[in-house]
Amino acid sequence: MNIHHLELFYYVARHGGVSAAARRIPYGIQQPAISAQIIRLEDGLATTLFHRRPFKLTKAGEDLYRFIEPFFGGLDGIAKQLRGGSEVSIRIGAPETILREYLPRLLKAMRKRAPELNITLVGAGPAQIEVGVLTHEIDVGISPLLGKRAEGVKQKELIHVPLALVLPKNHPVTSAEKLWQQDRIVEPLIAGRTDGAIHRLFQAELQKRKVEWFPSLELTSQELIARYVAEGFGIGLMLVEPGAVPPSGTKLLPLDGFPTIPYGLLWTGTLSPLQRAFCEEAQTLATAFAPK
């Protein structure tokens, strides 16, 4: 039996399918390559190891997984032991803006505490971050804390982030209140997912002001919203995330009186010493970013 084929089968069996395994194998390999090599393993053993649709291990697959799991499941532990017990790797999930504006300063502080630190950064939205934490693809996530957490996910609030409108830099409107006073806002609203908690909160606040203004464009990231605003397609709704500055060619209008959005850390289980140190540094930096 090829040891690499066994490793691929371990990830497929552990995560319940080829596509799930491809997202979690700690090196780049595509689904077709995994499938092809698993078939070679099955051909060599002259048996089927799992049913594909829906996924389920066969009796032979269960027997093989029980045999190889202690070895592959214990690799991280033995690696840590051979390094003298020191932990050097952490996987962090966060929105793109946080990765760009907030994480560099945070990770610089972390390297002072752990000079040999290996870092994996995962750009994702709130739902994907929570799933990543639950499936152990991510050690610690930084995310908006809206709605209820899934069972088993723990959280720690770091900072409250305000909402703002983003407009072209030369736009004549100088405050959000001037928009609310209009009989009808003619400019298109550019926003993120309309089924998300942030959009629902924004619409609820508009209703209190008896303002009707619904998105004309629904985009997948703050970067895209800012780009379309800068190109003159409308007015955007954004979170003013820690460390963020107005994108080139735009200006921000604070949404006074609107609720702020809590941001914080997500994780499962008990934090390791390295993960706890990361959370401490995140709290320190968030305090520095907080409004005075």
Side-chain angles (χ1 to χ4, degrees):
M1 285 185 285
N2 183 301
I3 190 70
H4 180 54
H5 295 169
L6 291 175
E7 180 190 29
L8 295 178
F9 171 70
Y10 164 77
Y11 280 103
V12 169
R14 178 180 177 184
H15 296 293
V18 173
S19 61
R23 295 193 299 270
R24 294 165 174 85
I25 293 172
Y27 50 84
I29 183 168
Q30 300 299 313
Q31 291 184 40
I34 298 173
S35 295
Q37 293 182 63
I38 292 294
I39 289 172
R40 291 178 64 183
L41 175 63
E42 291 179 319
D43 288 346
L45 296 172
T47 188
T48 299
L49 296 174
F50 57 90
H51 301 294
R52 270 63 175 176
R53 296 186 184 88
F55 176 86
K56 184 179 180 182
L57 290 175
T58 62
K59 175 63 167 57
E62 291 176 350
D63 290 342
L64 181 58
Y65 181 68
R66 277 197 300 269
F67 182 79
I68 66 174
E69 194 281 330
F71 172 75
F72 288 108
L75 287 177
D76 288 343
I78 191 63
K80 182 177 178 180
Q81 179 181 327
L82 294 174
R83 288 193 298 263
S86 60
E87 186 184 14
V88 296
S89 297
I90 187 168
R91 299 164 300 173
I92 304 157
E96 295 291 340
T97 308
I98 295 292
L99 294 181
R100 186 180 65 245
E101 307 292 349
Y102 179 79
L103 262 297
R105 288 177 58 178
L106 175 53
L107 297 178
K108 187 175 181 180
M110 280 297 299
R111 284 204 181 276
K112 292 180 180 179
R113 298 178 67 156
E116 297 182 0
L117 180 64
N118 293 320
I119 304 157
T120 300
L121 299 179
V122 180
Q128 292 78 22
I129 291 170
E130 188 161 326
V131 170
V133 167
L134 277 169
T135 57
H136 305 292
E137 293 179 76
I138 295 170
D139 297 314
V140 182
I142 301 178
S143 172
L145 303 179
L146 291 169
K148 292 183 178 180
R149 303 279 72 77
E151 185 176 353
V153 176
K154 301 177 183 178
Q155 68 178 48
K156 177 179 174 60
E157 187 176 298
L158 294 176
I159 193 171
H160 275 251
V161 176
L163 287 167
L165 297 178
V166 57
L167 293 80
K169 196 168 186 177
N170 60 356
H171 197 285
V173 171
T174 56
S175 73
E177 289 301 321
K178 292 185 179 297
L179 283 175
W180 313 151
Q181 292 166 9
Q182 295 180 15
D183 183 58
R184 177 175 174 267
I185 303 175
V186 297
E187 285 137 316
L189 173 62
I190 306 171
R193 292 176 57 93
T194 56
D195 59 351
I198 292 172
H199 180 74
R200 291 197 299 270
L201 184 152
F202 176 70
Q203 288 296 329
E205 290 298 318
L206 290 184
Q207 289 176 18
K208 292 178 183 178
R209 292 160 174 79
K210 297 182 171 55
V211 174
E212 290 189 352
W213 193 28
F214 302 104
S216 299
L217 284 176
E218 181 180 343
L219 301 176
T220 57
S221 72
Q222 299 224 123
E223 288 74 14
L224 279 175
I225 292 172
R227 177 63 186 273
Y228 274 73
V229 169
E231 295 295 335
F233 285 91
I235 297 175
L237 173 66
M238 296 183 67
L239 283 169
V240 187
E241 293 172 323
V245 295
S248 177
T250 68
K251 63 181 179 180
L252 295 178
L253 295 185
L255 288 174
D256 296 331
F258 280 63
T260 55
I261 310 300
Y263 259 67
L265 302 165
L266 299 177
W267 72 93
T268 59
T270 302
L271 291 170
S272 70
L274 182 65
Q275 293 162 9
R276 193 178 309 115
F278 175 82
C279 293
E280 291 169 359
E281 292 294 345
Q283 180 68 75
T284 298
L285 187 54
T287 301
F289 275 122
K292 304 301 181 185

